[in-house]
Amino acid sequence: MAIIKNLCILLFLVTGLISAQLPKNIETKYKLTWEDDFSYSNKELDLQWISANHPSKNLYCSRWRENAVVRNGELHLDIHKEKRGGQDWTAGSIWTKQKFKYGYFECRYKYAGGEATNNSFWLMTKPIKAPKEGKIFEIDINEGHYPNEISTNIHNWSDFTKLPNGKKKHPSFNKQFYFGAKPDYSIQLELPVETQKIRFVSNEDSKFNLGEFRVYGVNESGEYPEALSNTADTDIPGIVNYVRVEHVKITSSGSYKNKPSESRLIDGNPLTSWSTQNDGEKWVEFSWSTPIKVGCIQFINGWKDQNNNWRNLIANYKVQYLKDGIWRDISVLDAKENYDFSKEFHTYGLEWTEKELVFYFDGKEIRRTKNEFCHSEAPIFLSLALIKWHGTLRDDLDGKSMKVDYVKYYEAN
């Protein structure tokens, strides 16, 4: 049976990956008035840029000028495993001496190739005090996470609310984009298979969440429910979910902090999940005492944040069935093979006007929202951080870099 390749991405974004160019509406409305292509010596970086030189207690790393290096016409924000500023790792973060307001901003760069990296192109009010217009703001044009996540964020740093635990929270407006991956999968088999064992296998470097897992029998009409439905097992009369109706045995590679959570895979709630162990191959196996005939397999992965964004989606997996003592592929995904943003340069853009914020990836619009409070001048930031909430920090990050080809600012005609 042919392998079903789940490279799920909209056609216009795929086209953008192949050939990035300045958005047509930008070309007609704006003119290039400032740019840096890093075609100079390393010491000249200080003419236009200021560097962070301090510890960062909310990160895994401190950040220093020595980690921002111009090499061969590129800016490299380097990661080093070294003790400095009371921390075990260092990285680089710089911002422009010049400030900008409204216009089109674009940067072409590669991610650092590893988990726990935050590869950022952003704007923020500086100094951090109430501006004459609007509020203290941060616009993350992209907080890129390896291998292929784009994260756009808009932060209001002026207004805070107190939480019940005494901590403070500021308004944030986030939207993430994944390439080659998605939260919900519905794998309909062209040719049904008969088996007593189904398994899900992944080589993700760190733990992840796998949600509701369904194994449906054959439905002659070819209809199956939406994978994210809360009532999937009753949405279409007559189909059988074998993991809930028939006795099923579940075994796995382990669970996070050794707290078994495999039962959440079949509890009927798409938002609960099995959380895997941190290290090694992750797998879960479903087995039945007698053969079943399978027509469709569904599963959910990642977790949903308060802004309805799905986070930490898996980049590789195999769904397999056992036949004649051999595990055979039903569905395979390796998003890193086709969508690794540390291997190729991509462009990330923002059109910032008094009324709107429009985000771009490789010249294609990906997000548009009202500008409610970003109305003061701000410098451009380029930053690499090692963060505690996006993957496992591993020694092989030492020596890797976020690589920047250019930064450009276009002013309205």
Side-chain angles (χ1 to χ4, degrees), residues 334-401:
D334 186 354
K336 291 180 183 178
E337 181 180 347
N338 297 280
Y339 301 100
D340 183 345
F341 293 175
S342 71
K343 290 183 177 179
E344 294 182 348
F345 284 102
H346 294 283
T347 61
Y348 306 90
L350 170 73
E351 184 181 8
W352 173 22
T353 70
E354 184 179 2
K355 294 182 178 180
E356 280 191 316
L357 298 167
V358 187
F359 296 80
Y360 293 86
F361 172 57
D362 280 346
K364 306 295 181 181
E365 181 182 325
I366 57 174
R367 180 185 183 185
R368 181 182 293 262
T369 188
K370 185 179 178 181
N371 180 11
E372 296 182 332
F373 52 82
C374 304
H375 299 298
S376 60
E377 290 186 329
I380 297 170
F381 287 75
L382 300 171
S383 305
L384 178 61
L386 302 180
I387 57 177
K388 301 178 180 180
W389 55 89
H390 211 283
T392 302
L393 182 62
R394 302 184 187 278
D395 287 351
D396 63 2
L397 279 178
D398 187 20
K400 292 186 177 179
S401 308

Side-chain angles (χ1 to χ4, degrees), residues 267-384:
D267 65 1
N269 184 349
L271 299 182
T272 60
S273 58
W274 165 53
S275 187
T276 71
Q277 82 278 10
N278 271 319
D279 299 314
E281 185 179 62
K282 287 82 176 172
W283 57 267
V284 61
E285 182 180 303
F286 304 84
S287 58
W288 295 265
S289 57
T290 58
I292 60 171
K293 196 170 185 180
V294 181
C296 180
I297 294 173
Q298 296 183 346
F299 64 88
I300 313 297
N301 76 102
W303 56 275
K304 198 174 186 181
D305 68 16
Q306 61 185 3
N307 295 305
N308 292 320
N309 293 306
W310 285 90
R311 312 296 296 272
N312 291 1
L313 300 181
I314 55 174
N316 78 81
Y317 74 78
K318 289 184 179 181
V319 174
Q320 300 175 311
Y321 72 103
L322 190 69
K323 182 178 181 181
D324 301 327
I326 299 173
W327 286 105
R328 303 170 188 267
D329 294 336
I330 293 176
S331 177
V332 175
L333 170 70
D334 186 354
K336 291 180 183 178
E337 181 180 347
N338 297 280
Y339 301 100
D340 183 345
F341 293 175
S342 71
K343 290 183 177 179
E344 294 182 348
F345 284 102
H346 294 283
T347 61
Y348 306 90
L350 170 73
E351 184 181 8
W352 173 22
T353 70
E354 184 179 2
K355 294 182 178 180
E356 280 191 316
L357 298 167
V358 187
F359 296 80
Y360 293 86
F361 172 57
D362 280 346
K364 306 295 181 181
E365 181 182 325
I366 57 174
R367 180 185 183 185
R368 181 182 293 262
T369 188
K370 185 179 178 181
N371 180 11
E372 296 182 332
F373 52 82
C374 304
H375 299 298
S376 60
E377 290 186 329
I380 297 170
F381 287 75
L382 300 171
S383 305
L384 178 61

Side-chain angles (χ1 to χ4, degrees), residues 21-183:
Q21 58 182 353
L22 198 67
K24 289 183 179 179
N25 63 314
I26 301 300
E27 288 182 304
T28 57
K29 292 162 56 179
Y30 296 88
K31 60 183 177 182
L32 180 64
T33 59
W34 182 92
E35 66 178 317
D36 195 344
D37 62 4
F38 307 102
S39 57
Y40 46 74
S41 66
N42 182 53
K43 65 181 181 181
E44 293 178 87
L45 181 69
D46 300 319
L47 297 176
Q48 296 194 86
W49 300 84
I50 301 170
S51 176
N53 283 285
H54 53 72
S56 301
K57 295 303 181 183
N58 61 326
L59 306 174
Y60 283 128
C61 61
S62 56
R63 296 195 284 196
W64 310 92
R65 169 63 175 91
E66 290 81 0
N67 295 77
V69 183
V70 175
R71 297 188 186 99
N72 303 317
E74 297 172 354
L75 170 69
H76 290 199
L77 299 178
D78 294 337
I79 301 168
H80 294 303
K81 189 175 185 183
E82 57 179 343
K83 292 186 180 296
R84 190 173 180 185
Q87 294 177 271
D88 294 331
W89 293 81
T90 61
S93 176
I94 63 173
W95 58 92
T96 56
K97 293 180 178 180
Q98 183 173 337
K99 295 181 181 180
F100 306 87
K101 180 181 176 182
Y102 304 150
Y104 178 71
F105 301 76
E106 185 173 272
C107 184
R108 186 172 186 261
Y109 67 97
K110 292 181 184 179
Y111 294 1
E115 289 192 1
T117 59
N118 199 59
N119 306 263
S120 302
F121 168 42
W122 52 300
L123 308 169
M124 186 172 182
T125 309
K126 196 171 182 68
I128 304 176
K129 64 179 182 180
K132 292 180 180 179
E133 295 182 83
K135 299 181 183 294
I136 303 170
F137 69 86
E138 175 184 339
I139 305 172
D140 298 319
I141 302 170
N142 179 30
E143 283 193 339
H145 303 136
Y146 174 82
N148 48 38
E149 179 190 338
I150 295 173
S151 181
T152 62
N153 311 298
I154 307 162
H155 298 280
N156 172 355
W157 289 104
S158 289
D159 301 331
F160 287 87
T161 55
K162 278 192 175 182
L163 300 175
N165 60 8
K167 294 183 178 181
K168 293 193 299 183
K169 179 183 176 183
H170 67 274
S172 296
F173 309 90
N174 317 107
K175 193 170 184 180
Q176 281 75 39
F177 302 88
Y178 291 82
F179 294 80
K182 60 179 184 176

Side-chain angles (χ1 to χ4, degrees), residues 171-217:
S172 296
F173 309 90
N174 317 107
K175 193 170 184 180
Q176 281 75 39
F177 302 88
Y178 291 82
F179 294 80
K182 60 179 184 176
D184 55 315
Y185 290 87
S186 185
I187 305 160
Q188 190 168 340
L189 281 64
E190 184 178 354
L191 299 174
V193 299
E194 193 170 281
T195 186
Q196 288 180 245
K197 290 188 176 183
I198 297 284
R199 73 176 183 181
F200 176 99
V201 185
S202 177
N203 290 314
E204 288 287 302
D205 291 335
S206 60
K207 73 177 180 72
F208 58 85
N209 295 335
L210 187 66
E212 193 70 9
F213 199 99
R214 308 187 188 104
V215 179
Y216 286 120

Side-chain angles (χ1 to χ4, degrees), residues 230-272:
N230 289 313
T231 56
D233 289 350
T234 57
D235 287 348
I236 298 175
I239 61 172
V240 177
N241 182 0
Y242 286 113
V243 300
R244 301 192 69 199
V245 177
E246 301 289 335
H247 175 70
V248 62
K249 180 181 178 181
I250 306 177
T251 54
S252 78
S253 56
S255 296
Y256 183 57
K257 293 185 177 180
N258 296 317
K259 295 180 180 179
S261 52
E262 292 87 349
S263 61
R264 296 174 185 170
L265 290 164
I266 60 171
D267 65 1
N269 184 349
L271 299 182
T272 60

